[in-house]
Amino acid sequence: MDRRTADHPLPCTAKADSFGAALDAISVTTELVDEELKPHLDTLLTVAVEKKRGLAEQVVESGILPVLAQALRRKSSLTVHTARLLAELAREAPVRDSCFETGIISALLTLLLSKDEDLLLHVSRAIGRICYDSNLQQERLLRLGAVPRLVAVLLQHLENNTLLSSCLLALCNLADMGEQDDSKFVWEKSGHFDAGEQVFHGTSQHSFGFVSAVTVVRLNQWSPGQYSVSVEALQRCSTLLWGARNGRQTGWRLPHLGCCPKFYKVIKYSVKNIPKNRSLKAAVFHTFL
C-alpha cells in the first residue's frame, strides 16, 4: 500500500489507490503534457470536492504544489482546471500554509489579469480561502498587490454576481473579517451614495434567523484610477430582540461593542492607477497611513 494512503486512509480502497497513483504521477512529472495530466487532476478534484479526510496532508507531502503552480503559469487548456482544484484544496489549512513557498500565490495573482470569467472565479475563490483566518497569508497577499487586482476584476465584472461575490469575500478575508466559503454570504449593491463611491452589503444569516452578520465593503474613487477600500463588519439582531431598548439604533449598528469583537477595520491601501492594459508592473497599491 502507498505510504501516504497508509498514513491517511481514504474511505474507499479503489479511490484511495487511484488518488495515490495520481499524486505519484503528478509529483514525478518533468514535462507538463495536458493530455497526461488531465485525468490525474480529475481524480484529485473528485476527492477534493468530497472533502476526504487526510487529503490536504497527502497533497502537501507529495510535493505536487510546485507542479500545480507551474501548470497555472503555463496558461494552457488545464489552467482553469488547475485553478479549480487549488480553490478546493485551499479549504484545508495544510495546503493554505504551503501556498506561498510553492509559488501558488504568485501564480494565482498573475491570473487575476485574465479576462476569462470562469478562471477569475476559481482564482479569486482560491485567494480568499488561502488568506482566510491567517494574518501571515493576508500580509503576504497585501504586499504582493492582491487588493488592486481584486478590485480591478470586481469593477470590470459587476454584472457577474458569482464572481462579484467571490472578489468581495476575498477582500473581506484580506481584512480578516470574512468567511472561508462565499456561499454563506448574500451580497447586495447599494448603489452610489455619492460620486465615485460604491457600497456592497454582505449578509450572513446565523441560527434561527435572530442574529446576522453584516459586512460592508466600500470602494471610494479619489481620482481616475485611484480607489480606497474599506471593510466594516457589523452585527445586527432581530428587531424583536433589541429594537425596543435601542430605539435610536438602526439594524446596522451594534447595541454595544462586546457583541462583535471584529466590528470594524479598514484596508489601509489604495488601488492606484489600475491601467487599462492591466500591466503587472503598474498594478500596485500604496499605503496612505
Side-chain angles (χ1 to χ4, degrees), residues 148 222 268-273 282 284-289:
W222 306 348
K268 295 183 175 67
Y269 297 92
S270 67
V271 182
K272 184 175 182 180
N273 295 329
V284 298
F285 60 87
H286 303 276
T287 63
F288 57 87
L289 290 168

Side-chain angles (χ1 to χ4, degrees), residues 90-91 96 126-135 137-138 141 169-170 173-174 176-181 184 262:
R91 295 178 185 274
R96 296 199 296 266
I127 290 172
R129 290 166 183 169
I130 287 170
C131 67
Y132 172 70
D133 201 27
S134 172
N135 291 331
Q137 300 292 40
Q138 291 158 12
L141 282 158
L169 182 62
N173 285 351
L174 283 167
D176 198 23
M177 292 190 298
E179 298 283 349
Q180 186 179 28
D181 191 346
K184 295 181 179 180
K262 296 188 292 187

Side-chain angles (χ1 to χ4, degrees), residues 30 79 178 196 242:
T30 56
T79 303
W242 62 274

Side-chain angles (χ1 to χ4, degrees), residues 177-189:
M177 292 190 298
E179 298 283 349
Q180 186 179 28
D181 191 346
D182 57 0
S183 66
K184 295 181 179 180
F185 270 95
V186 176
W187 290 95
E188 294 181 357
K189 187 173 181 295

Side-chain angles (χ1 to χ4, degrees), residues 21-231:
L23 287 179
D24 287 337
I26 296 174
S27 65
V28 299
T29 297
T30 56
E31 295 184 6
L32 300 179
V33 180
D34 292 0
E35 293 76 12
E36 295 177 3
L37 276 180
K38 188 177 186 305
H40 302 310
L41 294 177
D42 285 338
T43 298
L44 297 187
L45 181 58
T46 298
V47 178
V49 169
E50 295 175 354
K51 302 178 179 64
K52 298 299 184 183
R53 181 175 61 87
L55 169 67
E57 290 83 356
Q58 293 180 56
V59 167
V60 172
E61 291 169 8
S62 71
I64 69 167
L65 290 180
V67 179
L68 297 182
Q70 186 181 354
L72 290 177
R73 293 191 190 95
R74 289 178 66 239
K75 300 179 182 178
S76 68
S77 60
L78 288 183
T79 303
V80 175
H81 213 63
T82 306
R84 184 185 175 193
L85 172 60
L86 283 166
E88 292 298 328
L89 293 174
R91 295 178 185 274
E92 302 294 333
V95 173
R96 296 199 296 266
D97 294 342
S98 303
C99 282
F100 183 78
E101 292 78 7
T102 55
I104 294 292
I105 287 179
S106 59
L108 289 171
L109 288 175
T110 299
L111 290 175
L112 284 178
L113 304 179
S114 171
K115 296 181 180 179
D116 185 320
E117 292 190 354
D118 265 351
L119 177 59
L120 290 171
L121 175 61
H122 298 311
V123 169
S124 57
R125 280 178 173 166
I127 290 172
R129 290 166 183 169
I130 287 170
C131 67
Y132 172 70
D133 201 27
S134 172
N135 291 331
L136 176 60
Q137 300 292 40
Q138 291 158 12
E139 182 62 27
R140 285 169 169 171
L141 282 158
L142 287 172
R143 290 182 181 277
L144 289 172
V147 170
R149 297 182 195 186
L150 285 167
V151 171
V153 172
L154 187 156
L155 292 174
Q156 291 171 16
H157 301 280
L158 288 172
E159 303 305 316
N160 185 329
N161 291 330
T162 305
L163 180 54
L164 177 70
S165 174
S166 181
C167 289
L168 287 169
L169 182 62
L171 290 171
C172 292
N173 285 351
L174 283 167
D176 198 23
M177 292 190 298
E179 298 283 349
Q180 186 179 28
D181 191 346
D182 57 0
S183 66
K184 295 181 179 180
F185 270 95
V186 176
W187 290 95
E188 294 181 357
K189 187 173 181 295
S190 300
H192 297 263
F193 283 92
D194 55 43
E197 182 182 56
Q198 299 201 50
V199 181
F200 304 88
H201 290 143
T203 305
S204 178
Q205 194 73 29
H206 294 298
S207 59
F208 305 109
F210 289 126
V211 178
S212 60
V214 179
T215 302
V216 182
V217 178
R218 285 187 174 86
L219 305 180
N220 290 285
Q221 185 173 14
W222 306 348
S223 60
Q226 294 187 338
Y227 293 83
S228 66
V229 183
S230 68
V231 180

Side-chain angles (χ1 to χ4, degrees), residues 113-115 152 156 273-283:
L113 304 179
S114 171
K115 296 181 180 179
Q156 291 171 16
N273 295 329
I274 300 175
K276 291 183 179 179
N277 61 7
R278 306 167 84 183
S279 164
L280 272 172
K281 186 175 181 181

